[in-house]
């Protein structure tokens, strides 16, 4: 009930204020800055950050041989702390064979299929989130570079269109919350600017890890819209736009959120 009242309030506020422009670069803020001091402290301390357990799982999986090729990630890429430095800051990235962008989770599964001859890991599985957390951890502090490839321009534009498009029974766009009403609150929760600097993240609400796609689907359900599936082109394009508009901001993965 209170969440519904909050959403209705956002609709009224958005109508009153009109559709805002994109957030100016000098006003961009990490989602961490909107969090309570306790959550900030949890994320900043690797010994208290629950997402680091996923990173440890990822380290084991990195060395684990799989598939008909009987190869591990480490057999191709060596030490992840060196070979994966800065990688996550460039995803979603263009895949030459598919001629479209793929996100980090898709890249991990493509590597499994193409090089390990193994089955892809299930969406939001412990294993996929763990490997994603391990790779993303190696980019902590690295500026986001996603979207710079000229081949990605039409996909970034598609993602922007999705971000701005009203949908669902509540007729809300992503921009109505994250461009028009950031730094307000919805049902007691802070509304951030939707810069995906910390994924995969550990959400206290989930009591576990999740990808950006999981968070986007939750938002879509919150507006009573039919969510995209994990590998739908629209989902990846939306991810790409969000990462491209956060370009220059630092990766914080793996992050913690309420």
């Amino acid at each position: 009930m209170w969440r519904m009242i909050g959403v209705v309030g956002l609709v009224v506020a958005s109508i009153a204020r009109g559709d805002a422009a994109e957030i100016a670069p000098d006003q961009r803020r990490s989602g961490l800055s909107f969090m309570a001091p306790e959550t900030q402290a949890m994320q900043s301390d690797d010994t208290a950050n629950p997402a680091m357990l996923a990173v440890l799982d990822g380290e084991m999986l990195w060395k684990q041989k799989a598939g008909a090729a009987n190869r591990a990630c480490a057999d191709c890429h060596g030490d992840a702390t060196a070979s994966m430095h800065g990688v996550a800051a460039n995803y979603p990235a263009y895949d030459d064979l598919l001629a479209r962008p793929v996100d980090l989770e898709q890249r991990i599964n493509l590597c499994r299929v193409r090089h390990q001859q193994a089955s892809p890991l299930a969406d939001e599985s412990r294993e996929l989130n763990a490997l994603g957390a391990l790779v993303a951890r190696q980019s902590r502090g690295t500026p986001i570079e996603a979207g710079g490839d000229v081949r990605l321009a039409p996909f970034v534009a598609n993602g922007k269109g999705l971000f701005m498009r009203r949908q669902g029974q509540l007729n809300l766009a992503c921009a109505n919350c994250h461009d028009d009403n950031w730094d307000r609150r919805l049902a007691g929760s802070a509304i951030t600017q939707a810069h995906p600097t910390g994924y995969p993240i550990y959400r206290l609400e989930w009591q576990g890890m999740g990808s950006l796609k999981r968070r986007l689907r939750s938002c879509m359900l919150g507006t009573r819209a039919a969510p995209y599936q994990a590998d739908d082109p629209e989902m990846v394009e939306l991810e790409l736009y969000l990462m491209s508009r956060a370009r220059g901001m630092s990766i914080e993965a793996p992050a913690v959120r309420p």
Side-chain angles (χ1 to χ4, degrees), residues 177-240:
C177 283
H178 300 293
D179 282 352
D180 301 351
N181 288 290
W182 62 268
D183 216 11
R184 292 173 179 249
R185 303 191 77 81
L186 174 60
S189 299
I191 301 175
T192 69
Q193 297 177 346
H195 299 306
T197 55
Y199 286 86
I201 63 171
Y202 186 98
R203 282 188 71 88
L204 302 177
E205 173 189 3
W206 298 337
Q207 288 293 290
M209 298 292 294
S211 70
L212 176 56
K213 289 178 284 197
R214 181 176 179 182
R215 187 71 190 99
L216 290 174
R217 286 197 292 265
S218 295
C219 282
M220 291 172 189
L221 290 170
T223 62
R224 298 186 179 180
Y228 302 121
Q229 297 303 305
D231 291 333
D232 283 348
E234 294 88 350
M235 181 67 84
V236 180
E237 289 166 354
L238 186 53
E239 284 189 80
L240 175 60

